[in-house]
């Protein structure tokens, strides 16, 4: 891995790529490296897509201007050996043609809105429908398929990227011009922090998240069923057969959804439970016991026993969509050159609950002019 990465960087340098440093130095303190930009590919309309490489505190990340996609995330195992722990592709063409949101920034609305419709202040809005009868992850052309404006920064011992995208009033059916900003920061401990911000000029709804598929043993190493997961949630939101919440906040106790104590992801995945049939596995929103918080608070811990790699997630959000990669069906070839099959990666999407615009009892996702949407999620890696 170490060797591969060096080769890639050397190749990038040979291709005339420049290091961008905002503080007059190419290196941040604490082992951080100022983000380096290279050309990743070109879209059909001629738009260039860039890839930014950044590293700090032992974490190495590659991010695309297309979809804010984390194309590669390398962290060391207990013996210091690096692996890419995120599923993805090698080319922009594959991301455009067939990505199931690999690594992407998701918006305007993470997860589903039933019938792709909601009513706000007496007006009903019809959204782009792209998942049966429902709207999923912002509709047909969500934020994962938009080219973001990316600016690198180094600040003290932190390095990072500021990604901006302005979504026009009416885009995918949503009201209001939504000015969106996502800041990816790597600190000197190697933690990856995402700060999301958005403002609107008309009342609207907003629910942004990140859709990295993790496999802490390394992308292309098989399934995640041995990973041990704990989620600080006593309840989850059961769904109907179209994966829209019924509105109930059901207790996890005594069900396959009980992750209050760490257990292998695959342990209960074959239990004959109606909810597992609907999701073709685990694909549900957990109601975090901490609720919405001003500061990021602990939500979940993931550990791969074979490599020793761990990831802790802290968030300001009240919910966590845990998706066990159920729809991966062997039809996509990943960056490691192998096909991705069911369960080869899992997503832990911090968010508000699915279909909140139609569920008055769920925490609100309404954003009004004059307000600023602000949420933060921190991923801390260890081994
Ligand atoms: C989310 C959803 C899943 C699936 C994936 C993308 O995690 O909950 O049902 O749509 O995104 O494939």
């Amino acid at each position: 891995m170490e060797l591969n990465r060096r080769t890639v960087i050397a190749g990038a340098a040979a291709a005339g790529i420049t290091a961008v440093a905002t503080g007059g130095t190419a290196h941040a303190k604490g082992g951080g490296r100022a983000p380096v930009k290279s050309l990743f590919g070109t879209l059909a309309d001629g738009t260039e897509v860039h890839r930014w490489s950044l590293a700090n505190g032992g974490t190495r990340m590659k991010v695309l201007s297309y979809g804010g996609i984390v194309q590669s995330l390398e962290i060391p195992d207990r013996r210091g050996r690096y692996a890419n722990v995120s599923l993805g592709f090698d080319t922009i063409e594959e991301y455009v043609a067939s990505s199931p949101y690999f690594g992407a920034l998701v918006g305007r609305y993470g997860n589903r809105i039933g019938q792709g419709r909601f009513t706000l202040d007496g007006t009903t809005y019809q959204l782009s429908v792209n998942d049966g009868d429902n709207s999923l992850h912002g509709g047909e052309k969500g934020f994962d398929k938009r080219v973001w404006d990316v600016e690198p920064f180094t600040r003290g011992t932190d390095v990072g990227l500021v990604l901006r995208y302005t979504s026009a009033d009416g885009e995918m059916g949503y009201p209001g011009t939504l000015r969106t900003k996502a800041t990816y920061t790597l600190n000197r401990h190697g933690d990856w922090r995402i700060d999301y911000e958005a403002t609107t000029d008309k009342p609207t709804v907003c629910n942004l998240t990140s859709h990295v598929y993790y496999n802490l043993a390394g992308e292309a190493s098989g399934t995640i069923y041995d990973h041990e997961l704990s989620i600080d949630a006593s309840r989850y939101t059961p769904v109907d057969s179209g994966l829209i919440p019924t509105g109930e906040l059901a207790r996890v106790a005594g069900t396959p959804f009980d992750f209050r104590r760490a257990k292998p992801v695959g342990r209960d995945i074959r239990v004959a439970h109606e909810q597992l049939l609907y999701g073709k596995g685990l694909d549900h929103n957990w109601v975090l016991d901490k609720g919405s918080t001003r500061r990021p608070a602990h939500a979940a811990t993931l550990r791969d026993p074979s490599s020793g790699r761990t990831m802790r997630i802290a968030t300001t959000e009240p919910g966590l969509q845990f998706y066990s990669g159920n729809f991966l069906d062997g039809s996509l070839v990943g960056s490691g050159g192998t096909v991705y099959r069911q369960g080869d990666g899992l997503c832990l999407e911090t968010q508000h609950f699915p279909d909140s615009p139609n569920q008055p009892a769920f925490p609100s996702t309404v954003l009004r002019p004059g307000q600023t949407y602000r949420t933060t999620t921190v991923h801390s890696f260890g081994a």
Side-chain angles (χ1 to χ4, degrees):
M1 274 298 165
E2 174 72 2
L3 212 71
N4 283 344
R5 189 186 65 82
R6 289 239 168 91
T7 316
V8 169
I9 301 280
I17 284 114
T18 42
V20 181
T22 49
T25 160
H27 292 267
K29 288 174 236 156
R33 196 175 58 222
V36 175
K37 181 184 181 181
S38 61
L39 183 65
F40 185 67
T42 307
L43 300 177
D45 69 359
T47 308
E48 291 191 341
V49 171
H50 294 106
R51 179 169 74 173
W52 291 87
S53 302
L54 52 160
N56 204 0
T59 299
R60 305 165 179 165
M61 181 178 265
K62 294 187 179 123
V63 176
L64 305 183
S65 53
Y66 180 83
I69 289 171
V70 174
Q71 191 250 339
S72 164
L73 172 64
E74 291 178 283
I75 55 172
D77 69 4
R78 60 165 79 83
R79 288 159 68 185
R81 291 174 305 194
Y82 277 81
N84 175 13
V85 298
S86 73
L87 275 54
F89 295 120
D90 273 341
T91 66
I92 189 61
E93 287 75 18
E94 290 163 290
Y95 279 106
V96 171
S98 51
S99 179
Y101 306 92
F102 282 154
L105 265 177
V106 167
R108 288 186 190 193
Y109 198 96
N111 215 278
R112 294 176 177 78
I113 296 183
Q115 307 293 311
R117 198 181 300 141
F118 68 96
T119 301
L120 180 57
D121 299 341
T123 305
T124 299
Y125 297 96
Q126 180 60 55
L127 308 173
S128 148
V129 163
N130 60 335
D131 184 67
D133 293 337
N134 305 320
S135 185
L136 174 68
H137 295 330
E140 216 174 334
K141 193 169 177 189
F143 290 3
D144 58 294
K145 297 176 186 71
R146 305 284 172 176
V147 176
W148 293 64
D149 177 48
V150 184
E151 249 177 66
F153 67 86
T154 63
R155 193 184 299 135
T157 56
D158 292 346
V159 302
L161 304 171
V162 177
L163 300 104
R164 285 192 180 82
Y165 175 67
T166 298
S167 172
D169 185 11
E171 188 179 284
M172 297 293 111
Y174 287 92
T177 311
L178 195 77
R179 290 182 195 284
T180 315
K181 176 172 146 183
T183 307
Y184 289 180
T185 306
L186 292 182
N187 71 13
R188 66 195 170 93
H189 305 297
D191 302 340
W192 172 36
R193 174 180 172 119
I194 314 175
D195 292 288
Y196 301 92
E197 266 185 48
T199 57
T200 183
D201 57 5
K202 282 186 190 159
T204 191
V205 295
C206 182
N207 189 30
L208 307 175
T209 192
S210 161
H211 209 294
V212 174
Y213 286 66
Y214 295 96
N215 186 326
L216 296 184
E219 168 281 325
S221 70
T223 73
I224 45 70
Y225 297 131
D226 288 342
H227 282 37
E228 291 161 6
L229 176 67
S230 66
I231 306 176
D232 292 355
S234 311
R235 295 177 185 268
Y236 74 110
T237 52
V239 290
D240 65 18
S241 60
L243 301 184
I244 298 297
T246 60
E248 191 195 348
L249 305 183
R251 290 187 187 279
V252 297
T255 76
F257 300 91
D258 193 350
F259 281 89
R260 288 173 298 174
R261 280 159 170 247
K263 69 173 178 183
V265 165
R267 180 181 288 172
D268 295 331
I269 210 163
R270 287 182 171 76
V271 171
H273 190 292
E274 188 180 51
Q275 288 293 315
L276 294 180
L277 290 176
Y278 288 163
K280 292 192 163 51
L282 295 153
D283 188 0
H284 294 79
N285 169 69
W286 270 255
V287 178
L288 297 171
D289 288 339
K290 69 176 190 65
S292 291
T293 40
R294 276 186 66 82
R295 290 178 186 284
H298 185 260
T301 300
L302 184 67
R303 176 173 176 272
D304 165 44
S306 67
S307 64
R309 293 190 187 94
T310 58
M311 174 174 69
R312 283 182 295 119
I313 295 186
T315 185
T316 58
E317 289 281 44
L320 179 76
Q321 183 82 15
F322 163 33
Y323 167 60
S324 56
N326 315 322
F327 300 123
L328 297 173
D329 62 1
S331 61
L332 301 174
V333 178
S335 46
T338 68
V339 295
Y340 290 139
R341 299 179 64 86
Q342 190 175 49
D344 281 1
L346 64 82
C347 303
L348 295 166
E349 304 152 60
T350 54
Q351 56 175 22
H352 271 55
F353 309 167
D355 201 32
S356 296
N358 294 308
Q359 296 280 355
F362 287 0
S364 174
T365 51
V366 173
L367 181 69
R368 297 187 178 279
Q371 298 178 328
T372 302
Y373 170 98
R374 262 195 199 97
T375 72
T376 297
T377 296
V378 184
H379 309 77
S380 305
F381 305 105

